[in-house]
Amino acid sequence: TDLSLIPEVFSVLSQHGQVPLQGKKFLEIGTGDLRNALGAAAEGMEVTAIEKDPAIFMGETYRIFEAAKKDERTKDLVSKIQILNADALSEEVRSHWEKADIVFFYYTEPKGAAERQKFLHRFQIQLSRLRPGSILVLLLFGSYSATDENTENLKDFLGMSGFRNPQITRLLTVVR
């Protein structure tokens, strides 16, 4: 995670009228080292942090979570975080999508047309579970800019999924 993105994420959320963030439900997909989850908890949000990769979850995610529980400076923050080793697009995590006010997703374009179509179908099912007013923040990996074809395709997909007002910096942020 690029540490310089963390203030940008919360600045973008503020621009969408989500201030105060206190008490909001923050769902992070691809949590890795928990930096954004801890940042959201510090803003007073209730956090569900999901990591699909078992090696990352049992390595970074779990190790950092357990260490933070023992640290006087972070143990109160960790009490606001639930960590899960799961596929964020599975039925298993449906309730977390249904409750989320803010979804922060590390988005990587799937390789190949068949994989992309399968991923987008599963992603659209989860997106449909978000309530009106929910915010989706995508951290875009790969070649994305405000004007390139990948970004335009993603914006079109999100528009068809009921999202509006795309804003692109290093993040793509949309409101349902």
Side-chain angles (χ1 to χ4, degrees):
T1 304
D2 178 354
L3 281 176
S4 68
L5 279 176
I6 295 170
E8 184 175 343
V9 168
F10 296 111
S11 171
V12 167
L13 293 176
S14 297
Q15 293 167 17
H16 280 293
Q18 290 292 321
V19 176
L21 297 172
Q22 182 89 24
K24 299 292 183 191
K25 304 226 181 327
F26 186 87
L27 175 61
E28 183 178 20
I29 311 300
T31 193
D33 63 13
L34 295 171
R35 289 179 189 175
N36 290 304
L38 288 164
E43 292 286 338
M45 291 186 263
E46 297 173 32
V47 179
T48 301
I50 300 175
E51 178 55 59
K52 179 180 178 178
D53 185 320
I56 293 173
F57 182 83
M58 290 310 296
E60 268 185 294
T61 308
Y62 188 75
R63 181 180 50 77
I64 291 168
F65 185 77
E66 289 300 311
K69 284 193 328 191
K70 296 173 187 166
D71 187 323
E72 287 298 319
R73 298 168 297 170
T74 54
K75 72 179 183 181
D76 289 339
L77 295 180
V78 174
S79 70
K80 299 175 188 174
I81 300 173
Q82 176 185 11
I83 60 171
L84 300 173
N85 180 209
D87 177 351
L89 302 182
S90 70
E91 190 65 24
E92 169 186 2
V93 297
R94 174 185 188 152
S95 67
H96 297 285
W97 285 86
E98 292 170 342
K99 292 186 275 185
D101 298 304
I102 300 162
V103 176
F104 188 84
F105 197 126
Y106 288 88
Y107 182 82
T108 304
E109 187 72 21
K111 303 275 189 243
E115 278 299 308
R116 184 177 191 277
Q117 185 175 6
K118 181 181 173 185
F119 170 83
L120 291 177
H121 173 73
R122 294 177 69 222
F123 191 30
Q124 192 164 34
I125 289 169
Q126 295 296 47
L127 292 176
S128 72
R129 294 180 169 138
L130 294 173
R131 297 178 304 223
S134 298
I135 295 175
L136 174 65
V137 180
L138 298 176
L139 176 58
L140 304 173
F141 287 109
S143 61
Y144 289 91
S145 70
T147 58
D148 74 11
E149 184 179 346
N150 285 340
T151 304
E152 289 304 315
N153 291 339
L154 187 56
K155 283 170 45 181
D156 289 345
F157 165 76
L158 291 168
M160 290 185 295
S161 299
F163 287 85
R164 57 186 167 75
N165 302 331
Q167 294 186 4
I168 299 173
T169 56
R170 287 181 289 174
L171 307 167
L172 170 64
T173 309
V174 288
V175 179
R176 185 170 172 78

